[in-house]
């Protein structure tokens, strides 16, 4: 088989790419190892709801049409939305790309269904293919069960007893809350995190991010792009605020960043107060920016994060207090199938606004072209611009 463009992945990024390739009359195929919206179907936990409100989730040619624009979609609703936008997309499901190599005419792809030759390739295989678990996990005693967000489905599948949740970004705070509510006492290890209220001055905080233009800031205008691309996801989940204060009210115990596991004990840094103060400061700065943009007097300010006077710095993992650890320490892409030297030592694809070079492109990566690039609402502009560049490159 020979096509002009192969798109790898049928999540929202691959579907958006196809929309603009079709509009530009570029013959293409979208290869998906699983099903359309595979990550949302198979790699998320049961209770997950989007942190972006329904009205904000739009794809090229598809926006929310249901009765609850201010609601937060569950996984079945996300899958349904993506399936609807895949109607006219030339997707081949159940086709895993196992190798991409340079060839005379562009790229040779090896897939589970045979070889494909393409002049250009768009990598839309996702930024969150595997859980990033720190190497120190290897020192956890075998009596403690270890789980990543990919294995986790509901609290009832964890052993009874205490749970150490490592990481206090969007995933960590959600899982800490629901595990604590299930009756399993949670210790939450919090490093750097991004605090946000769900609602500010009567509007969803993402309404402010969207309308103030912060989320559409371009990658080439961001001061420290490397840092912006590594920022943790905001502490948002579903309809209400879910920050560290909410978690302590539920009974979750806060500890500092996990720094080592030694002699069967987890050791935490003493910097909890500092990281919490920094998150408060940054949240207040963000709210100031909203006020400035709106031209209004400063609005509501939220209580500083309550940090225990002395948080535990050591947790014995052999005492039976902790029966499981949930690694909510982030996700990373998997490019093990990419046989082109375009991945740096840290495993990130090297690109300039989604243009890798030599007919290779990417979509769906953090701050690819804008701050909102990894979100569903961020793909339309990115995909249009990347496909535009691809079209120009094809034209020589
Ligand atoms: C827990 C979690 C919650 C999130 N919540 C929100 C939210 O509330 N709102 C929001 O806007 N965004 C959210 N995001 C961010 C983003 O929308 C998702 O990560 C989304 O899945 C990214 O879409 P994508 O198309 O870039 O990648 P994916 O959805 O991961 O799609 C990539 C596809 O490529 C396929 N693939 C990968 N490798 C290969 C291969 N070698 N061969 C063939 N196929 C391959 C995969 O099977 C997959 O279907 C969330 C992300 C996570 C992880």
């Amino acid at each position: 088989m020979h096509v002009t463009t192969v798109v790898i992945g049928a999540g929202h990024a691959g579907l958006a790419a196809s929309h603009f390739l079709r509009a530009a009359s570029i013959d293409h195929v979208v290869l998906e190892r699983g099903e359309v919206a595979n990550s949302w179907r198979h790699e998320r936990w049961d209770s997950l709801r989007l942190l972006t409100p329904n009205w904000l989730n739009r794809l090229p040619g598809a926006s929310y049409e249901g009765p609850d624009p201010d609601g937060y979609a569950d996984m079945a609703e996300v899958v349904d939305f993506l399936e609807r936008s895949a109607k006219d997309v030339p997707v081949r499901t159940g086709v895993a790309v196992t190798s991409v190599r340079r060839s005379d005419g562009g790229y040779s792809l090896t897939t589970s269904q045979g070889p494909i030759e393409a002049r250009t390739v768009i990598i839309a295989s996702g930024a969150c293919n595997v859980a990033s678990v720190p190497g120190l996990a290897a020192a956890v005693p075998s009596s403690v069960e270890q789980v990543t967000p990919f294995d986790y489905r509901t609290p009832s599948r964890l052993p009874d007893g205490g749970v150490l949740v490592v990481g206090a970004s969007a995933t960590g705070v959600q899982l800490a809350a629901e595990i604590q509510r299930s009756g399993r006492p949670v210790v939450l290890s919090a490093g750097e995190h991004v605090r946000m209220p769900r609602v500010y001055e009567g509007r969803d905080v993402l309404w402010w991010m969207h309308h103030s233009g912060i989320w559409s800031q371009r990658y080439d205008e961001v001061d420290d792009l490397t840092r912006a691309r590594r920022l943790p996801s905001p502490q948002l989940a579903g309809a209400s605020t879910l920050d560290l204060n909410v978690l302590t009210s539920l009974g979750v115990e806060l500890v500092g960043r996990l720094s080592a596991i030694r002699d069967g004990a987890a050791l935490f840094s003493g910097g909890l107060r500092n990281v919490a103060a920094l998150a408060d400061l940054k949240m207040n700065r963000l709210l100031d920016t909203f006020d400035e943009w709106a031209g209004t007097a400063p609005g509501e300010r939220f209580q500083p994060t309550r940090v225990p006077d002395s948080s535990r710095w050591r947790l014995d993992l052999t005492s039976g207090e902790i029966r499981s650890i949930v690694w909510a320490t982030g996700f990373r892409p998997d490019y093990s199938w990419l046989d082109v030297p375009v991945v740096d030592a840290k495993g990130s694809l090297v690109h300039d606004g989604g243009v890798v070079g030599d007919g290779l492109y990417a979509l769906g990566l953090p701050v690819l072209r804008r701050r909102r690039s990894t979100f569903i609402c961020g793909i339309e502009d990115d995909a249009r611009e990347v496909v535009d560049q691809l079209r120009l490159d094809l034209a020589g």
Side-chain angles (χ1 to χ4, degrees):
M1 182 185 186
H2 196 291
V3 284
T4 302
T5 303
V6 165
V7 179
I8 303 174
H12 73 249
L15 300 178
S18 174
H19 177 94
F20 290 108
L21 288 166
R22 210 162 55 242
S25 304
I26 297 172
D27 72 295
H28 66 282
V29 62
V30 179
L31 303 180
E32 167 55 54
R33 62 184 171 192
E35 304 166 76
V36 168
N38 205 57
S39 307
W40 299 107
R41 288 176 201 268
H42 301 295
E43 295 172 2
R44 313 281 192 250
W45 55 96
D46 293 356
S47 68
L48 180 64
R49 283 184 173 267
L50 291 190
L51 58 86
T52 43
N54 290 332
W55 61 264
L56 185 57
N57 301 324
R58 49 167 299 121
L59 290 175
S63 53
Y64 181 77
E65 286 163 5
D68 186 16
D70 293 322
Y72 303 88
D74 64 21
M75 292 307 97
E77 290 166 320
V78 181
V79 169
D80 184 56
F81 181 54
L82 263 63
E83 265 183 342
R84 276 192 285 122
S85 76
K87 238 179 8 237
D88 302 319
V89 174
V91 188
R92 289 177 58 193
T93 54
V95 181
V97 175
T98 52
S99 157
V100 173
R101 284 200 170 80
R102 282 290 284 157
S103 67
D104 288 344
Y107 291 91
S108 296
L109 287 83
T110 311
T111 82
S112 54
Q113 305 287 325
I116 299 181
E117 296 293 319
R119 284 177 68 191
T120 56
V121 173
I122 299 181
I123 301 169
S125 52
C128 302
N129 305 121
V130 277
S132 291
V133 176
L136 49 75
V140 171
S142 57
S143 55
V144 175
E145 188 168 320
Q146 301 188 54
V147 177
T148 73
F150 282 91
D151 321 314
Y152 177 89
R153 288 292 170 270
T154 76
S156 61
R157 296 223 204 147
L158 295 175
D160 286 336
V163 182
L164 171 63
V165 176
V166 185
S169 295
T171 301
V173 293
Q174 286 177 59
L175 301 189
E178 81 166 12
I179 295 168
Q180 177 76 27
R181 287 193 179 107
S182 78
R184 292 165 181 78
V186 170
V187 177
L188 176 65
S189 163
E192 184 192 358
H193 55 271
V194 177
R195 183 181 177 197
M196 277 189 197
R198 179 76 267 180
V199 173
Y200 179 60
E201 293 300 299
R203 303 258 191 201
D204 192 293
V205 72
L206 298 183
W207 181 92
W208 292 93
M209 294 293 283
H210 181 70
H211 288 283
S212 66
I214 294 178
W215 248 12
S216 24
Q217 190 184 17
R218 287 176 53 93
Y219 76 110
D220 43 12
E221 293 167 354
V222 171
D223 284 342
D224 186 346
L225 185 57
T226 308
R227 185 172 155 64
R229 286 184 168 158
R230 298 225 170 94
L231 262 192
S233 54
Q235 288 173 333
L236 287 175
S240 28
T241 295
L242 190 51
D243 57 19
L244 298 185
N245 284 349
V246 172
L247 291 174
T248 25
S249 320
L250 290 173
V252 169
E253 177 186 344
L254 300 182
V255 292
R257 189 171 194 279
L258 179 63
S259 55
I261 296 186
R262 203 171 299 139
D263 302 329
L267 307 181
F268 305 103
S269 89
L272 177 60
R273 187 168 298 279
N274 288 346
V275 289
L278 191 63
D280 291 351
L281 182 83
K282 288 190 175 166
M283 175 180 69
N284 287 333
R285 272 198 209 139
L286 181 68
L287 302 182
D288 291 345
T289 312
F290 294 160
D291 296 332
E292 271 164 36
W293 167 76
T296 51
E300 182 184 8
R301 290 295 175 268
F302 300 87
Q303 271 199 355
T305 304
R306 293 188 305 275
V307 175
D309 285 338
S310 61
S311 61
R312 275 201 270 187
W313 65 271
R314 183 178 188 280
L315 187 57
D316 185 356
L317 297 175
T318 60
S319 70
E321 178 190 350
I322 296 295
R323 300 288 310 283
S324 52
I325 296 182
V326 178
W327 296 106
T329 33
F331 303 93
R332 58 185 167 79
D334 170 22
Y335 298 123
S336 53
W337 43 269
L338 189 53
D339 298 312
V340 188
V342 290
V343 177
D344 69 17
K346 292 204 159 140
S348 302
L349 195 70
V350 180
H351 66 91
D352 180 5
V355 179
V356 180
D358 294 331
L360 203 54
Y361 305 84
L363 281 170
L365 301 178
V367 201
L368 182 108
R369 294 187 73 81
R370 290 174 179 76
R371 283 203 184 266
R372 59 173 186 234
S373 285
T374 36
F375 292 92
I376 295 169
C377 62
I379 201 64
E380 181 162 6
D381 290 338
D382 281 18
R384 182 191 302 108
E385 290 171 10
V386 166
V387 170
D388 249 0
Q389 186 59 51
L390 180 150
R391 186 177 54 78
L392 291 173
D393 293 346
L394 280 175

